[in-house]
Amino acid sequence: ARALWALLAALRAGWCLLPQSGYLHPDEFFQAPEVMAGDILNLQVYYPWEFLSSSPCRTVVFPLMTSGVSYWVIKSLQQLDICSSCINSYTLLVSPRLLFTIFSFILDYSVYQLAPFWGADPWKALVLLAGSYVTLVFYTRTFTNTLEGLLFALLMVLVSSRKSSGSSAEPTSSSLIGVITTAGFFNRPTFLAFALMPLLYWAGLIVDSQKSIKTLINHILKFILCACFTASVFITADTFYFTSVSLDNLYSTNKSNLIDVIVQLHDKMVVTPFNFLSYNLNPHNLALHGTHPRVTHFTVNGVMLFGILHILAISAGFKMLKKCVHQLMLVRWYYRGPPGLLVHSEGSPALLLFYFVPLAFLSLFSHQEPRFLIPLILPLVLFSASPSRAVKWKLLIVLFNLLGALLFGCLHQGGLIPCLFHLEQLIHSPASSSHPRHYTLLFAHTYMPPRSLLNIKKTDMHVEVIDMAGAGEETLCQTVEQRASNFTCRDCHIFIIIPGTVRATITKCGVSFKNETLIFPHLSMEDPPQIPVLSSGNWRSQLGLYILELKR
C-alpha cells in the first residue's frame, strides 16, 4: 500500500507537469490565475465580474498567495536573467497548478493523521485518496473549492486531537481554529457548511473536558479574537485592492490628511463574503448560472465524483438511521455521552455527518456543480477505509477513477489549452516579431479561453480575442463573413477555433480557409459527438478542436 501511494503521488506531480490538457470549468482560470496574470505580469486578460470594483465578490488574498506568488517568482527569475524566457504559456499554466499540487499533499497528511483517530486503516485511506481522480484532477487545479477542501482538512485535524494514551485531548487549538474558519469563510462563504460539524464536535470536546467555566470562556474568546483579527486582515487587503485608495496614498499624505484617508477607507470598506452571499441568495442571479433540482448533489454529483463510495455511504447512512436513531441525536452525542461514541471503528456516525451535513446544506441552493463537493473526499475516504469496507469493490473503484481521470483530465474541453499553446507560439514566432502582424482569434462553442496563456502584454494591440461562446449558426456566420470581407491590413490573420462537432456549421458560412489544424482530443459536452458518427471513420474529427485560418 505504501508503494502504491508513492506511485500515485508521483503520478499526481508528474501529470501536473506534463501538463493535464483537460479544462474542467472556466473558474479554474478566472478565479485566480487570469486576474493575477493581469495584475502582476501586466498581460492582456479578461477580468471576471467578481473582481471588478463595482461588484467585488471574491477576496484577493488567496489569489495573491497562490497564483500571485507563482507569477511573481517567474517574473523575478526573468528579470534577474536566470531564465530568459520564463514567462510563456507553459509556465503560466503550470506554475500555479504546481503550487496547488504541492498543497494537495495537505490532504494526504490529514488522512494519515486522522485515520487512527476515526478507526480507519491509514494506508488504505491514503490509497483511496491518492487514487481518486478527484485528487489527481480537481486538487491540482486552481479552484477556490480546492482551497476550501484543504482548509476543511486542516480543521478536521485540529478538532480531532488525541493523546498518545488514546483518550481525547484537551482542545488547545482555539486560535488556529478561529483563523482557519474565518479564512475559509472569506475564500468561499459555503465553507461554513463544511465547518459546522467540526466546530460542533470541537465544542463538544470542550464541554466534555473542561470543569471550569473560566477555561471554557477562554477558548471561546480565543476563537472570536483570532477570527476577528483574520477577518480584519482580509477586509483591509480587499479594500485596498478594490478601491482607489492605495498604500502610496497613505505614505504620501501628511498627518492631517491621514485621518481623511482612514475615513475614506472606512467608507469604502469591502467585505467580499457578504457581497457573495447577497448575490447568490438571489434566485434570479443563480438562474443566470444554471438551476438544478435540489437532489442533484445527492443523486448525480456525488456519484459523478466518488462513484461507489458515495453509494455505500448513502446505504450506510440509511442503515444507521434505521438501527441507531437515538445515537443520531446531537444532544445525546455531544452532551450526554462521551466523545468516544463518535469514533466507532465500524460505521462511525460522526463521519457520516461530516459528509452528509455539508451535502444537505449545499443542496439548499438551486445551482449545484460537482466541484462544490470535492472537500467531502476527506470524510468519505476515512469512512470507507475501515477494514471491512470497499474491499470487494476494488476493481470497480479502479475502473471508475481511470475513466474519470481520462474524461476530466484529458478529454473534457481538452483541445483548448493545447490550442492556446499553439497560438502563443505562432504569435511570438520570429517571423511575427520581425514583421508585425495582426491576429484575430475567434473562439466559438468552447469554454471561455484564458487570454493570459497567449502571453500578450497590455500594451500590445496586435491580437484581438473574440469569444462567441455558444453563438447560433446565423450569428456565427454573420461575424465570420464580416471578418472575412474586411481585412484591414496585408498582414492580418484571422483564426476560427471551433470543435469538430460543429465544424459543418462553418462550411455553410460561404468562406474558405487556407490552413486548418486539428488538435486531438477535445470533447465538448455542450456539443457532444453523435454515436453513429463516432463509429465511422470521422471519429477523430468529432473528438477534435479545429484552428481554421480564413483565406483573404
Side-chain angles (χ1 to χ4, degrees), residues 19 28 38 48 66 81 96 100 122 146 205 235 282 288 298 333 353 360 363 409 472 494 541 549:
E28 70 174 285
T66 54
D81 290 331
F100 271 71
T146 304
L205 284 177
I235 291 171
N282 186 331
L288 298 175
F298 277 97
W333 277 3
L353 282 181
S363 297
I494 300 175
S541 172
E549 184 176 3

Side-chain angles (χ1 to χ4, degrees), residues 405-476:
L406 175 66
L407 176 60
F408 293 105
C410 298
L411 295 178
H412 188 258
Q413 294 284 328
L416 190 55
I417 301 303
C419 165
L420 292 168
F421 280 21
H422 174 80
L423 292 172
E424 189 251 0
Q425 293 178 354
L426 180 67
I427 292 168
H428 296 283
S429 64
S432 298
S433 302
S434 57
H435 300 285
R437 301 174 179 179
H438 186 276
Y439 294 91
T440 299
L441 311 177
L442 193 152
F443 292 83
H445 292 261
T446 68
Y447 275 4
M448 189 187 304
R451 289 138 171 91
S452 59
L453 297 186
L454 294 172
N455 192 20
I456 307 296
K457 292 292 184 182
K458 289 181 179 179
T459 54
D460 295 339
M461 306 304 295
H462 68 287
V463 179
E464 178 186 12
V465 177
I466 303 172
D467 181 15
M468 299 201 65
E473 180 180 331
E474 183 179 354
T475 303
L476 181 59

Side-chain angles (χ1 to χ4, degrees), residues 370-382:
R371 62 191 172 94
F372 295 168
L373 303 183
I374 65 172
L376 296 178
I377 191 173
L378 180 63
L380 186 60
V381 298
L382 290 172

Side-chain angles (χ1 to χ4, degrees), residues 271-475:
V271 186
T272 53
F274 292 160
N275 297 336
F276 179 95
L277 289 171
S278 176
Y279 180 87
N280 285 280
L281 290 176
N282 186 331
H284 175 71
N285 291 335
L286 285 183
L288 298 175
H289 302 274
T291 57
H292 310 91
R294 294 296 197 278
V295 296
T296 301
H297 279 326
F298 277 97
T299 58
V300 179
N301 294 341
V303 177
M304 186 186 301
L305 289 175
F306 308 122
I308 189 65
L309 298 184
H310 176 74
I311 297 171
L312 291 174
I314 291 177
S315 174
F318 277 117
K319 289 179 182 178
M320 209 164 295
L321 279 172
K322 184 178 178 181
K323 295 180 180 179
C324 310
V325 64
H326 296 296
Q327 293 183 12
L328 294 176
M329 295 180 181
L330 286 175
V331 174
R332 177 167 181 170
W333 277 3
Y334 293 114
Y335 299 106
R336 296 183 186 176
L341 284 176
L342 296 174
V343 205
H344 295 309
S345 60
E346 183 178 351
S348 168
L351 280 176
L352 282 179
L353 282 181
F354 279 36
Y355 183 74
F356 284 115
V357 169
L359 194 60
F361 272 104
L362 293 175
S363 297
L364 297 176
F365 297 93
S366 60
H367 181 61
Q368 302 187 12
E369 297 182 28
R371 62 191 172 94
F372 295 168
L373 303 183
I374 65 172
L376 296 178
I377 191 173
L378 180 63
L380 186 60
V381 298
L382 290 172
F383 178 78
S384 304
S386 64
S388 61
R389 291 189 183 278
V391 176
K392 59 183 178 181
W393 301 103
K394 281 182 180 179
L395 180 60
L396 182 60
I397 292 172
V398 170
L399 291 176
F400 171 79
N401 286 297
L402 281 174
L403 180 62
L406 175 66
L407 176 60
F408 293 105
C410 298
L411 295 178
H412 188 258
Q413 294 284 328
L416 190 55
I417 301 303
C419 165
L420 292 168
F421 280 21
H422 174 80
L423 292 172
E424 189 251 0
Q425 293 178 354
L426 180 67
I427 292 168
H428 296 283
S429 64
S432 298
S433 302
S434 57
H435 300 285
R437 301 174 179 179
H438 186 276
Y439 294 91
T440 299
L441 311 177
L442 193 152
F443 292 83
H445 292 261
T446 68
Y447 275 4
M448 189 187 304
R451 289 138 171 91
S452 59
L453 297 186
L454 294 172
N455 192 20
I456 307 296
K457 292 292 184 182
K458 289 181 179 179
T459 54
D460 295 339
M461 306 304 295
H462 68 287
V463 179
E464 178 186 12
V465 177
I466 303 172
D467 181 15
M468 299 201 65
E473 180 180 331
E474 183 179 354
T475 303

Side-chain angles (χ1 to χ4, degrees), residues 39 59 79 107 111 139 147 173 192 203 224 263 270 277 326 353 390 405 431 435 455 504 534 544:
D39 291 345
T59 182
Q79 289 177 338
L107 274 182
V111 165
Y139 273 93
L147 293 173
S173 50
L192 294 183
I224 293 174
V263 172
V270 175
L277 289 171
H326 296 296
L353 282 181
H435 300 285
N455 192 20
L534 284 178

Side-chain angles (χ1 to χ4, degrees), residues 125-386:
L126 279 171
V127 169
L128 278 175
L129 175 75
S132 170
Y133 86 88
V134 173
T135 305
L136 288 170
V137 179
F138 283 85
Y139 273 93
T140 59
R141 304 297 181 91
T142 49
F143 285 117
T144 55
N145 310 91
T146 304
L147 293 173
E148 188 174 42
L150 299 178
L151 292 171
F152 178 51
L154 291 175
L155 189 61
M156 282 195 65
V157 170
L158 290 174
V159 304
S160 303
S161 54
R162 171 171 284 197
K163 293 178 181 179
S164 57
S165 61
S167 60
S168 296
E170 176 183 333
T172 57
S173 50
S174 309
S175 303
L176 282 175
I177 290 173
V179 170
I180 289 176
T181 302
T182 308
F185 176 67
F186 273 82
N187 175 56
R188 287 185 67 86
T190 54
F191 183 75
L192 294 183
F194 296 98
L196 177 62
M197 284 308 302
L199 291 179
L200 286 176
Y201 184 81
W202 172 67
L205 284 177
I206 294 177
V207 171
D208 183 71
S209 62
Q210 302 302 331
K211 306 297 182 183
S212 168
I213 295 295
K214 181 180 178 181
T215 309
L216 174 63
I217 294 174
N218 184 42
H219 278 294
I220 296 174
L221 284 177
K222 283 182 180 179
F223 176 87
I224 293 174
L225 287 174
C226 289
C228 290
F229 173 77
T230 306
S232 66
V233 171
F234 277 86
I235 291 171
T236 302
D238 291 337
T239 300
F240 277 122
Y241 182 81
F242 287 109
T243 65
S244 58
V245 180
S246 65
L247 287 172
D248 293 336
N249 292 338
L250 285 178
Y251 288 123
S252 62
T253 54
N254 53 41
K255 291 183 179 180
S256 61
N257 292 332
L258 184 58
I259 297 176
D260 295 335
V261 173
I262 294 174
V263 172
Q264 186 181 358
L265 274 174
H266 181 270
D267 293 339
K268 295 184 176 182
M269 186 180 297
V270 175
V271 186
T272 53
F274 292 160
N275 297 336
F276 179 95
L277 289 171
S278 176
Y279 180 87
N280 285 280
L281 290 176
N282 186 331
H284 175 71
N285 291 335
L286 285 183
L288 298 175
H289 302 274
T291 57
H292 310 91
R294 294 296 197 278
V295 296
T296 301
H297 279 326
F298 277 97
T299 58
V300 179
N301 294 341
V303 177
M304 186 186 301
L305 289 175
F306 308 122
I308 189 65
L309 298 184
H310 176 74
I311 297 171
L312 291 174
I314 291 177
S315 174
F318 277 117
K319 289 179 182 178
M320 209 164 295
L321 279 172
K322 184 178 178 181
K323 295 180 180 179
C324 310
V325 64
H326 296 296
Q327 293 183 12
L328 294 176
M329 295 180 181
L330 286 175
V331 174
R332 177 167 181 170
W333 277 3
Y334 293 114
Y335 299 106
R336 296 183 186 176
L341 284 176
L342 296 174
V343 205
H344 295 309
S345 60
E346 183 178 351
S348 168
L351 280 176
L352 282 179
L353 282 181
F354 279 36
Y355 183 74
F356 284 115
V357 169
L359 194 60
F361 272 104
L362 293 175
S363 297
L364 297 176
F365 297 93
S366 60
H367 181 61
Q368 302 187 12
E369 297 182 28
R371 62 191 172 94
F372 295 168
L373 303 183
I374 65 172
L376 296 178
I377 191 173
L378 180 63
L380 186 60
V381 298
L382 290 172
F383 178 78
S384 304
S386 64

Side-chain angles (χ1 to χ4, degrees), residues 433-549:
S433 302
S434 57
H435 300 285
R437 301 174 179 179
H438 186 276
Y439 294 91
T440 299
L441 311 177
L442 193 152
F443 292 83
H445 292 261
T446 68
Y447 275 4
M448 189 187 304
R451 289 138 171 91
S452 59
L453 297 186
L454 294 172
N455 192 20
I456 307 296
K457 292 292 184 182
K458 289 181 179 179
T459 54
D460 295 339
M461 306 304 295
H462 68 287
V463 179
E464 178 186 12
V465 177
I466 303 172
D467 181 15
M468 299 201 65
E473 180 180 331
E474 183 179 354
T475 303
L476 181 59
C477 282
Q478 284 179 354
T479 305
V480 171
E481 290 169 3
Q482 182 182 9
R483 293 284 170 172
S485 59
N486 291 314
F487 275 85
T488 56
C489 61
R490 182 174 296 275
D491 286 324
C492 289
H493 298 266
I494 300 175
F495 294 91
I496 300 172
I497 296 91
I498 194 166
T501 49
V502 290
R503 169 72 170 81
T505 302
I506 294 294
T507 60
K508 302 176 184 178
C509 296
V511 294
S512 56
F513 307 99
K514 65 177 182 180
N515 285 311
E516 64 176 55
T517 303
L518 177 64
I519 296 179
F520 177 87
H522 179 92
L523 175 63
S524 173
M525 299 306 293
E526 289 71 26
D527 300 285
Q530 298 179 356
I531 301 299
V533 179
L534 284 178
S535 60
S536 67
N538 198 32
W539 64 271
R540 188 177 176 87
S541 172
Q542 291 287 299
L543 288 175
L545 183 71
Y546 278 95
I547 304 175
L548 307 172
E549 184 176 3

